[in-house]
Amino acid sequence: MRRALRLARRAEGEVGHYPLVGALVVKAGRVAGQGYFQLPGEPHAEVKAIAAAGTKARGATLVLNLEPCCHWGRTPPCTDTVIRAGIRRVVAGMTDPNPKVAGNGFRRLRQAGLEVVTPVLEPECRRLNEVFVKFITTRLPFVVLKVGATLDGKIATRAGESRWITGAAARREVHRLRAKADAVMVGAATVMRDDPELTARLGKKVRHPRPVVVDEALRISPRSRFLRPCPRKGKPIVATTRRAGPKRIRAFAAAGAEVLVLPQDRQGRVDVRAMMRALGEREIASVLLEGGAELNASMVAAGLVDKVIVFVAPKLLGGWKSRPMIGGQGPARLRKALPLSGLSARRVGEDLMLTAYVGARLAVPLPKKA
Ligand code: AOF
Ligand code: ZN
């Protein structure tokens, strides 16, 4: 199963709202064929592994990290291919959360007389496909809030300076996170201050995520760098409201952006829930939220953030007016603090990378007791 997970990971950043799947056909303790899901529209992982195994698939074991599908999508049901190839045993990491599958794949295989062993390494499997699990069950993107902060939790000085708080290694890691995401989101203030490209610069060819810039009145410039043409997963998106007049809206469309004119919240800003639904409709399954503090606050308050990654630099800034990670009022009561779970830490260069999931509602639940 670990090998299947490693295989699956090869397509990270390329599958959008589809799952990462790796599959192995094992015969007499040997791998007779393997495959992973590479690009939307291509055969599913198990079909590739079975094709690679050829006649050796007869009587063999299929190991994969996701339940084989049993529905007609862009490709025929994989369960039919598995049964027809004469596979005797299927070892599957987790049930497919896709409502069109959701255990029916396993039922079909068992009815055909195959042995099914599941779940196996379920927490790892769910974590690998945390984006797919969220998107297929809610049609909303999986949102990672990424922050670069000082040890005292500040993301900018009182003058708004934020380049650079973390070291080069942490910034490289951020580019890897961008490459994995379908979209990278920032607020208007960040664009006006830093004019970021919002690309994934890794020194190799990648399709860059779609920039999403949130600006209720379109104060940003249509000549901002995030609008420059480059190989992307789709057009840059500008999320705004009717407060931006038709002339501004046309200017951004002419600059190559997809302009989303969305409802306003009570303060006249972009309604972030409506925005996330709109992104989901565009099949954007993962969003890397990169600030600033105000947008972070709206997204957290609306319950739209799934995971938090904080790069902590070994420096102190201090000051009441230095920018915190999350703006707004903040609650008066400690019991209103947002609980996180599954906290882990890793060293990245001179900085620490802290990762946690929002809520006691684990994004990666532990396996159910048998
Ligand atoms: C994949 N790759 O390796 C497996 C998938 O639109 P379709 O026909 O490609 O079906 C997509 C669904 O198939 C997907 O949501 C998931 O439920 C199931 N399994 N999908 O893209 C794969 N095994
Ligand atoms: Zn399939």
Side-chain angles (χ1 to χ4, degrees):
M1 188 59 71
R2 285 190 210 287
R3 212 164 139 177
L5 287 166
R6 256 202 317 277
L7 258 173
R9 211 167 272 129
R10 289 198 201 167
E12 222 167 33
E14 292 306 322
V15 298
H17 65 289
Y18 292 101
L20 290 163
V21 188
L24 306 160
V25 173
V26 183
K27 185 99 177 253
R30 283 240 172 90
V31 175
Q34 62 176 40
Y36 67 98
F37 179 64
Q38 222 164 343
L39 282 174
E42 287 197 13
H44 290 179
E46 51 274 51
V47 172
K48 285 186 168 178
I50 288 169
T55 53
K56 292 205 185 105
R58 195 149 295 278
T61 296
L62 171 71
V63 182
L64 79 176
N65 57 295
L66 186 72
E67 175 183 10
C69 73
C70 53
H71 69 295
W72 279 89
R74 289 160 310 166
T75 61
C78 290
T79 44
D80 292 358
T81 308
V82 172
I83 295 163
R84 226 179 307 113
I87 295 282
R88 190 168 295 157
R89 197 160 71 118
V90 174
V91 179
M94 62 181 278
T95 302
D96 186 345
N98 184 346
K100 287 182 193 155
V101 186
N104 294 320
F106 291 144
R107 198 164 313 129
R108 184 89 158 262
L109 295 172
R110 286 189 174 118
Q111 274 165 2
L114 281 74
E115 182 192 347
V116 175
V117 182
T118 192
V120 175
L121 296 183
E122 192 183 25
E124 287 87 344
C125 292
R126 292 188 77 89
R127 174 162 301 208
L128 177 75
N129 274 314
E130 58 195 12
V131 167
F132 170 69
V133 172
K134 167 88 189 264
F135 185 79
I136 199 80
T137 53
T138 63
R139 291 277 145 188
L140 292 174
F142 183 86
V143 178
V144 177
L145 168 60
K146 171 249 132 187
V147 180
T150 61
L151 190 45
D152 55 333
K154 311 294 190 186
I155 64 166
T157 67
R158 64 188 152 86
E161 229 183 279
S162 60
R163 286 180 162 173
W164 300 104
I165 288 175
T166 54
R171 297 202 308 270
R172 219 161 23 245
E173 191 62 40
V174 170
H175 284 269
R176 275 196 280 274
L177 293 173
R178 283 184 179 174
K180 275 202 270 175
D182 288 341
V184 175
M185 180 182 287
V186 295
T190 303
V191 169
M192 289 191 288
R193 197 182 47 241
D194 300 339
D195 196 14
E197 274 182 48
L198 302 177
T199 50
R201 297 185 291 284
L202 294 172
K204 61 173 183 196
K205 263 205 273 161
V206 292
R207 284 188 312 137
H208 302 293
R210 296 180 74 170
V212 179
V213 175
V214 188
D215 184 351
E216 67 274 3
L218 286 183
R219 293 157 298 158
I220 58 169
S221 163
R223 277 174 303 281
S224 302
R225 281 200 273 215
F226 78 89
L227 291 165
R228 288 189 187 164
C230 67
R232 286 199 192 89
K233 291 171 183 167
K235 277 189 180 186
I237 292 174
V238 175
T240 191
T241 68
R242 271 211 285 281
R243 288 173 58 192
K247 250 171 82 186
R248 289 301 279 169
I249 291 172
R250 273 199 303 276
F252 280 87
E258 177 174 7
V259 183
L260 304 180
V261 182
L262 297 162
Q264 301 172 30
D265 68 8
R266 265 183 278 157
Q267 285 100 298
R269 301 168 308 187
V270 172
D271 178 328
V272 288
R273 281 175 222 272
M275 174 170 70
M276 297 313 281
R277 277 197 299 272
L279 297 184
E281 282 161 15
R282 282 155 185 79
E283 301 194 323
I284 289 173
S286 58
V287 172
L288 187 67
L289 171 59
E290 296 204 34
E294 280 312 313
L295 183 59
N296 291 351
S298 308
M299 291 285 289
V300 168
L304 293 167
V305 173
D306 299 286
K307 185 178 183 174
V308 183
I309 298 180
V310 184
F311 294 94
V312 183
K315 46 184 89 150
L316 298 173
L317 195 53
W320 288 109
K321 290 192 174 156
S322 304
R323 300 287 279 173
M325 296 178 192
I326 298 172
Q329 281 293 306
R333 291 285 155 203
L334 210 41
R335 66 178 151 73
K336 290 281 171 69
L338 184 65
L340 304 179
S341 56
L343 179 65
S344 69
R346 170 155 84 80
R347 220 194 153 101
V348 179
E350 62 261 43
D351 305 315
L352 270 187
M353 178 181 175
L354 303 180
T355 304
Y357 290 89
V358 171
R361 142 182 84 91
L362 269 184
V364 181
L366 294 170
K368 281 176 244 94
K369 289 214 182 69

